[in-house]
């Protein structure tokens, strides 16, 4: 039999043990309960089950969710709540946002920013609405935000600063309309314009203040400059002018030129600024030793030396050095060294005022074009931009090609800004080229008027779109009405016909010419033509055209020459033209440097009832000297027409005088019926002009130029003869003075000329004027 013994504790000790057990349990619960609860929540609770949006009217809840950093099913985190609140405010969609947690759901309360019903500018007289609308970011039907309004106020202020109105004040106001819509009004006080009273220079000795004022783009305020804003103070323009001064001096031999300061001070009456440049010219340098070496195996330095545009003893010119760098690089690349790079080291001898140039041709980094990204073109097709890019994906990267692309895109005239830049590609040997453009309006309607000695008073209206449908096609319609000549034209040009570097187009025209004063008849010509042109080389261009026209020699005056009456009536002309043109001019209009040559041959007879062949040769040469103050020019033209089995009609003859032979009236020289005074034209024509442009005592900012000239010419030869016809074949000549002004209303030119060699039956003219205007 087992015996069980029972152990009994004293009552006091049992009470003490119960107290100890309870204490241990309470302490343990306090320590371990939170972790147990957290473990249970992780398993079962504190996850966000839903997000509710309150207060939204136009904006869908799904839009709000896209800005939230916490989503249904996520574990609640206060940091995510703060990030979501910040993202919603930064979206610009809401005036106020609050977020609250209610158990397992989050409630987002929003107050939406209003919609702009109408954007209005008030008080702007000097700057039109369309100019301001281009600058501001906010538009009708967009969301109103205080940040964008503040930005637009700054943009409007910048517009007025550029126009010289620094006292302008812009105050935005909103008019509440209900349905969370507002009208936004920019109230503008334009204030007076702030001009430039004077532009002064300190430290200049090589060039006078007047010469330097002609370099900078900012001009002093004068009464005749009311059509220009160049005399309005603009700090950005002042900074640009500082760079113009640096370039001018460094291109004139002053390699150490520096601008110590450029200060704009407001006058005491607070109406104008006085701009002062403090400069340090330094010595004027000439080139000393010019050496070139090649570090590329297989590339002989002498083979690229032709790219050096500097000569020992010439004045230092930083633009020539840069141009030499590019020319040498191009020559090396043309010899299959695509990565050739050029480095020019300048060593200055200040005591001797000499700069030695050491040119090194080396193999640059082997970088290839990985991708070309085109951005910013909304209307212009990508292919229009891409065809101006001289390189493709996979080609060697070349900085000259990038610069050339930038220049070609700017010359298109379709973009207000062009920026072609390269950035790092997917590897160290790859580059991504970004082509960023900002488009501008390419359509224009122009009204023009003027007067010339040739056609009398004239008026013109024309429409032109140079980027038709974003395809770079050019469409022009023009109507010209004049006292002695009126014309209507329709012209269309496709610059890249069939995707090739060929421009093609057509023209439709009608022209009415009153030749009663010169030859006692009127000419009515109408027709159409098609043309193809392409660039043979960088300078040479070839154009082929076919033209079919109807010419009516009508309204023959009583008593007109029999040579004219026998030509009266309608003719049909089928004409093929071949023209070769070489252009090395700095600009086509009013050139100051370079030369040109052209040859054209016209053949009529492939249809119609007119048969002839006509050849014309023209050439010109222009060169500036004495720091471009003087420009010497000589140009001329020779033409000859011969009938092919038929006599040459008077409407196809050459006529000479007027603008091409000053001192003589239009059709003032050549074969003439002395009995009636009618000019009948000639088969052989030649004329030439020698001209010297020289500075005058007037401020250069006026844009008035003066020149002395001498014109020579002859016109002779007819297929028919009558007793009263006079044709000596002698040379005529004249000398004179010309004054031209690029006025705010258009070009203005006056020529005074005196014949030196003339015939008694010639019609002379001592004074000739032409005025043009566009508005």
């Amino acid at each position: 039999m087992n015996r069980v013994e029972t152990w009994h504790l004293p009552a006091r000790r049992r009470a003490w043990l119960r107290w100890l057990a309870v204490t241990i349990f309470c302490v343990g619960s306090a320590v371990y309960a939170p972790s147990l609860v957290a473990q249970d929540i992780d398993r079962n609770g504190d996850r966000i089950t839903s997000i509710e949006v309150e207060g939204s009217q136009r904006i869908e809840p799904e839009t709000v969710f896209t800005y939230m950093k916490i989503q249904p099913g996520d574990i609640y985190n206060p940091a995510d709540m703060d990030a979501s609140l910040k993202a919603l405010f930064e979206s610009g969609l809401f005036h106020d946002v609050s977020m609250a947690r209610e158990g397992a759901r989050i409630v987002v309360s929003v107050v939406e920013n209003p919609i702009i019903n109408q954007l209005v500018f008030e008080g702007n007289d000097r700057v039109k609405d369309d100019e301001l609308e281009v600058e501001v970011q906010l538009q009708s039907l967009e969301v109103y935000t205080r940040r964008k309004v503040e930005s637009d106020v700054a943009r409007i202020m910048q517009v007025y600063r550029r126009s010289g109105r620094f006292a302008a004040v812009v105050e935005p106001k909103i008019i509440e309309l209900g349905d969370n819509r507002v009208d936004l009004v920019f109230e503008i006080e334009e204030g007076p314009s702030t001009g430039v009273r004077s532009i002064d220079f300190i430290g200049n000795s090589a060039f006078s203040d007047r010469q330097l004022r002609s370099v900078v783009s900012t001009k002093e305020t004068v009464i005749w400059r009311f059509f220009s804003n160049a005399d309005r103070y603009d700090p950005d323009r002042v900074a640009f002018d500082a760079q113009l001064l640096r370039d001018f001096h460094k291109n004139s031999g002053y390699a150490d030129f520096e601008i110590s300061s450029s200060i704009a001070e407001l006058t005491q009456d607070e109406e104008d600024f006085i701009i002062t440049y403090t400069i340090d010219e330094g010595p004027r340098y000439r080139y000393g030793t010019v050496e070139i070496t090649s570090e590329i195996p297989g590339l002989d330095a002498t083979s690229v030396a032709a790219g050096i545009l500097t000569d020992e003893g010439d004045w230092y010119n930083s633009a020539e050095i840069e141009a030499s760098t590019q020319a040498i690089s191009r020559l090396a690349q043309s010899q299959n060294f695509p990565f050739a790079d050029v480095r020019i080291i300048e060593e200055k001898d200040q005591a001797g005022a000499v700069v030695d140039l050491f040119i090194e041709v080396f193999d640059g980094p082997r970088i290839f074009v990985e991708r070309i990204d085109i951005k910013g073109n909304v209307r212009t097709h990508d292919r229009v931009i891409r065809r101006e890019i001289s390189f493709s994906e996979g080609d060697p990267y070349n900085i000259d090609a990038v610069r050339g692309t930038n220049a070609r895109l700017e010359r298109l005239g379709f973009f207000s800004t062009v920026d072609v830049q390269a950035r790092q590609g997917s590897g160290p040997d790859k580059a991504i080229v970004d082509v960023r453009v900002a488009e501008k309006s390419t359509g224009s309607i122009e009204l023009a008027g003027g007067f010339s000695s040739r056609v009398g008073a004239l008026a013109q209206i024309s429409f032109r779109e140079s980027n038709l449908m974003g395809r770079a096609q050019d469409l022009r319609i023009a109507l010209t009405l004049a006292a002695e000549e009126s014309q209507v034209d329709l012209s269309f040009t496709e610059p890249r016909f069939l995707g090739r570097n060929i421009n093609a187009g057509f023209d439709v025209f009608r022209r009415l010419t009153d030749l009663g004063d010169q030859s006692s008849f009127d000419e009515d010509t109408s027709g159409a033509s098609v043309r193809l042109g392409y660039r043979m080389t960088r300078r040479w261009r070839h154009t082929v055209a076919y033209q079919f026209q109807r010419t009516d020699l009508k309204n023959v005056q009583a008593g007109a020459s029999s040579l004219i009456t026998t030509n009266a009536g309608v003719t049909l002309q089928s004409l093929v033209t071949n023209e070769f043109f070489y252009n090395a001019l700095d600009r086509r209009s009013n050139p100051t440097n370079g030369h040109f040559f052209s040859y054209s041959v016209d053949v009529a007879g492939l249809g119609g009832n007119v048969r002839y062949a006509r050849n014309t040769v023209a050439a010109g040469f222009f060169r500036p000297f004495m720091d471009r103050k003087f420009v010497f020019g000589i140009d001329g033209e020779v033409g000859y027409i011969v009938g092919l089995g038929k006599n040459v009609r008077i409407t196809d003859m050459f006529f000479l005088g007027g603008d091409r032979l000053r001192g003589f009236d239009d059709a003032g020289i050549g074969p003439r019926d002395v009995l009636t005074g009618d000019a009948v034209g000639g088969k052989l024509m030649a004329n030439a002009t020698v001209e010297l442009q020289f500075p005058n005592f007037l401020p250069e900012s006026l844009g008035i130029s003066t020149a002395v000239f001498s014109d020579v010419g002859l016109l002779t030869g007819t297929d028919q003869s009558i007793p009263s016809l006079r044709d000596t074949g002698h040379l005529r000549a004249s000398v004179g003075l010309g004054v031209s002004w690029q006025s705010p209303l258009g070009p203005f030119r006056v020529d005074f000329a005196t014949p030196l060699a003339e015939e008694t039956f010639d019609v002379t003219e001592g004074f000739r004027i032409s005025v043009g205007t566009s508005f």
Side-chain angles (χ1 to χ4, degrees):
M1 179 176 178
N2 294 330
R3 183 177 179 181
V4 178
E5 295 184 3
T6 303
W7 183 40
H8 296 281
L9 292 174
R12 179 178 296 177
R13 184 169 293 180
R14 288 198 303 271
W16 183 83
L17 288 174
R18 283 196 299 271
W19 176 85
L20 180 62
V22 171
T23 301
I24 291 172
F25 175 78
C26 291
V27 172
S29 298
V31 173
Y32 294 107
S35 63
L36 292 173
V37 171
Q39 291 174 12
D40 184 63
I41 289 173
D42 285 347
R43 290 190 302 267
N44 305 311
D46 216 19
R47 290 185 182 275
I48 303 303
T49 59
S50 65
I51 299 175
E52 297 181 8
V53 179
E54 297 179 349
S56 62
Q57 298 178 14
R58 304 181 317 275
I59 301 171
E60 297 294 333
E62 288 76 10
T63 303
V64 177
F65 297 157
T66 61
Y67 292 97
M68 300 282 291
K69 307 302 180 183
I70 187 170
Q71 301 293 331
D74 293 347
I75 297 173
Y76 174 78
N77 187 335
D80 290 338
M81 290 279 283
D82 291 342
S84 299
L85 191 64
K86 183 179 180 181
L88 287 169
F89 268 113
E90 289 180 347
S91 70
L93 299 174
F94 307 105
H95 175 70
D96 192 20
V97 181
S98 63
M99 299 176 63
R101 177 189 174 201
E102 297 180 0
R105 72 187 183 114
I106 294 176
V107 178
V108 183
S109 300
V110 298
V111 178
E112 295 177 354
N113 275 324
I115 288 290
I116 298 174
N117 177 67
Q118 187 178 12
L119 188 146
V120 180
F121 303 98
E122 293 184 354
N124 55 309
D125 295 325
R126 299 293 181 178
V127 181
K128 302 304 179 184
D129 284 5
D130 54 357
E131 296 179 58
L132 296 176
E133 288 169 355
V134 172
E135 293 290 335
V136 298
Q137 294 175 304
L138 288 169
Q139 303 291 336
S140 298
L141 303 180
E142 288 192 3
V143 177
Y144 169 94
T145 68
R146 184 180 299 274
R147 181 181 302 175
K148 286 186 178 180
V149 170
E150 293 173 351
S151 174
D152 284 347
V153 168
R155 288 169 177 264
I156 295 172
M157 292 291 292
Q158 185 64 28
V159 172
Y160 279 95
R161 284 184 62 190
R162 291 198 298 265
S163 63
R165 296 182 182 273
F166 283 78
V169 177
V170 181
E171 183 177 353
K173 291 186 177 181
I174 60 172
I175 302 173
E176 297 185 1
L177 302 176
D179 295 329
N180 205 25
R181 296 179 302 118
V182 297
D183 283 344
L184 175 60
V185 181
F186 289 103
E187 294 185 349
I188 302 171
E189 294 182 14
E190 295 182 318
S193 63
T194 309
V196 177
R197 185 164 298 179
S198 68
I199 303 174
D200 302 325
F201 300 90
I202 299 174
N204 56 308
S205 59
F207 302 101
S208 66
D209 284 10
R210 180 188 175 199
Q211 288 175 294
L212 296 182
R213 290 189 191 107
S214 69
V215 173
V216 297
S217 61
T218 303
K219 304 300 179 185
E220 294 178 341
T221 302
V222 287
I223 190 171
W224 59 76
R225 202 171 278 118
F226 51 86
F227 280 102
S228 169
N229 64 357
D231 58 349
R232 301 293 182 259
Y233 173 70
D234 183 349
D236 294 336
R237 186 185 290 154
V238 172
F240 175 68
D241 288 341
Q243 186 59 48
L244 291 178
L245 289 169
R246 292 187 189 95
D247 293 342
F248 174 75
H249 283 83
K250 288 182 178 293
N251 294 341
S252 302
Y254 298 91
D256 296 333
F257 175 84
E258 291 182 355
I259 296 178
S260 304
S261 65
S262 55
I263 301 173
E265 299 175 298
L266 198 61
T267 56
Q268 291 185 351
D269 57 14
E270 297 186 350
E271 292 184 357
D272 297 304
F273 278 91
I274 297 174
I275 302 174
T276 304
Y277 294 95
T278 303
I279 65 177
D280 180 8
E281 295 173 332
R284 190 180 190 191
Y285 290 88
R286 291 185 182 272
Y287 294 122
T289 301
V290 180
E291 295 182 0
I292 182 170
T293 58
S294 171
E295 300 177 4
I296 302 177
L299 178 63
D300 188 356
T302 58
S303 67
V304 294
I308 302 175
L309 306 179
T310 61
D311 293 319
E312 185 175 344
D314 287 351
W315 292 114
Y316 175 90
N317 187 319
S318 61
E320 284 184 351
I321 294 176
E322 176 64 24
S324 296
T325 300
Q326 297 179 19
I328 294 169
S329 178
R330 284 194 296 269
L331 286 172
Q333 291 159 14
S334 68
Q335 300 180 43
N336 296 321
F337 295 95
F339 300 102
D341 206 348
V342 179
R343 176 172 51 239
I344 297 182
I345 301 173
E346 302 179 13
E347 293 188 1
K348 297 177 184 175
D349 177 7
Q350 291 186 337
V354 170
V355 178
D356 294 331
L357 300 181
F358 298 95
I359 306 170
E360 299 177 358
V361 185
F362 60 95
D363 211 354
R366 294 181 175 271
I367 301 174
F368 296 87
V369 177
E370 179 180 9
R371 192 173 71 247
I372 300 173
D373 291 341
I374 300 174
K375 304 175 182 177
N377 55 314
V378 177
R379 190 165 66 100
T380 305
H381 292 201
D382 272 10
R383 60 183 176 84
V384 172
I385 298 174
R386 194 169 288 274
R387 68 195 184 194
E388 300 298 330
I389 302 174
S390 59
F391 51 87
S392 304
E393 284 87 349
D395 287 352
Y397 172 76
N398 183 275
I399 186 61
D400 285 340
V402 170
R403 291 170 179 162
T405 296
N406 204 101
R408 283 189 296 276
L409 289 172
E410 287 178 343
R411 284 197 296 268
L412 286 177
F414 304 159
F415 312 110
S416 57
T417 60
V418 176
D419 184 27
V420 184
Q421 299 288 342
R423 56 187 169 92
Q424 178 69 53
S426 60
D429 61 342
K430 296 178 181 178
I432 297 173
V433 178
D434 290 323
V435 181
R436 293 185 175 88
V437 298
E439 293 182 322
K440 67 179 182 181
S441 175
T442 54
S444 64
I445 298 177
E446 183 178 81
L447 298 174
F451 175 85
S452 78
S453 300
R454 186 177 69 85
V455 298
L458 63 90
Q460 183 185 78
I461 180 171
S462 64
F463 164 80
R464 184 182 183 188
E465 172 55 67
S466 58
N467 189 17
L468 187 65
M469 301 177 65
R471 301 174 183 271
Q473 296 166 337
D474 192 307
L475 175 67
R476 183 178 184 271
I477 303 172
L479 172 65
T480 303
L481 300 174
E484 297 187 6
E485 182 174 287
S486 297
Q487 183 168 335
V488 60
D489 296 278
L490 168 64
S491 175
F492 174 82
T493 301
E494 164 57 63
R496 294 294 181 98
F497 183 60
L498 299 178
R500 300 178 180 273
N501 193 19
I502 300 173
N503 66 55
F506 66 85
D507 304 275
V508 180
F509 61 90
R510 184 176 183 186
R511 181 174 59 251
L512 301 173
T513 308
D514 181 357
L515 297 172
D517 292 339
Q518 296 92 0
S519 302
S520 301
F521 68 89
D522 294 343
E523 184 180 27
D524 183 353
T525 303
S526 57
S529 65
V530 292
R531 46 189 159 76
L532 287 172
Y534 64 96
R535 193 177 297 279
M536 299 168 60
T537 67
R538 180 168 172 262
R539 300 290 189 185
W540 279 100
R541 185 169 189 82
H542 179 214
T543 301
V544 180
Y546 171 78
Q547 177 175 291
F548 187 87
Q549 72 178 38
R550 175 187 183 274
T551 301
D552 186 4
L553 193 156
K554 62 183 184 178
N555 299 333
V556 178
Q557 298 175 7
S561 171
S562 60
L563 295 178
I564 293 173
T565 58
T566 56
N567 280 265
V570 175
T571 58
L572 300 177
Q573 184 178 112
S574 178
L575 181 70
V576 176
T577 298
N578 250 313
E579 181 185 33
F580 298 87
F581 187 82
Y582 178 87
N583 182 17
L585 298 174
D586 57 349
R587 54 177 180 260
R588 292 290 293 267
S589 178
N590 300 319
T592 61
N593 196 8
H595 53 280
F596 76 91
F597 173 83
S598 71
Y599 169 71
S600 67
V601 55
D602 305 327
V603 178
L606 301 177
N609 54 10
V610 177
R611 308 278 191 274
Y612 68 78
R614 179 171 53 204
N615 290 268
T616 306
V617 178
F621 173 85
F622 303 87
R623 189 70 69 211
F625 59 98
M626 294 186 66
D627 294 328
R628 306 184 73 87
K629 296 177 184 177
F630 293 81
V631 176
F632 171 80
I634 180 171
D635 65 277
E637 183 180 20
V638 177
Y640 182 72
I641 185 171
V642 59
L644 300 177
K646 289 189 175 184
N647 292 334
V648 179
R649 294 177 56 84
I650 187 172
T651 52
D652 300 317
M653 290 283 198
F654 291 104
F655 289 84
L656 187 59
D659 293 331
R660 294 193 297 163
L661 187 59
R662 289 161 289 187
F664 297 88
D665 199 358
D666 293 310
I669 74 167
R672 184 179 303 275
D673 186 335
V674 294
L675 187 62
T676 64
D678 292 330
V680 297
K683 297 173 62 177
L684 173 64
M685 178 274 301
N687 74 284
T689 294
V690 178
E691 186 170 280
L692 177 65
Q693 296 181 28
F694 61 91
N696 51 60
F697 61 90
L698 297 171
E700 294 185 20
S701 58
L702 279 177
I704 296 178
S705 60
T706 48
V708 291
F709 61 82
S710 177
D711 293 347
V712 295
L714 69 85
L715 183 67
T716 185
T718 61
D719 282 339
Q720 296 174 285
S721 180
I722 58 176
S724 57
L725 181 66
R726 294 292 183 270
D727 178 15
T728 64
H730 293 165
L731 196 70
R732 275 73 154 185
S734 65
V735 295
L737 171 69
V739 179
S740 61
W741 177 34
Q742 295 298 322
S743 75
L745 297 177
F748 173 93
R749 182 177 177 94
V750 178
D751 290 307
F752 304 89
T754 300
L756 295 180
E758 60 180 301
E759 297 294 337
T760 56
F761 53 85
D762 290 339
V763 181
T764 60
E765 178 186 69
F767 172 78
R768 191 168 188 86
I769 183 173
S770 62
V771 182
T773 179
S774 61
F775 48 87

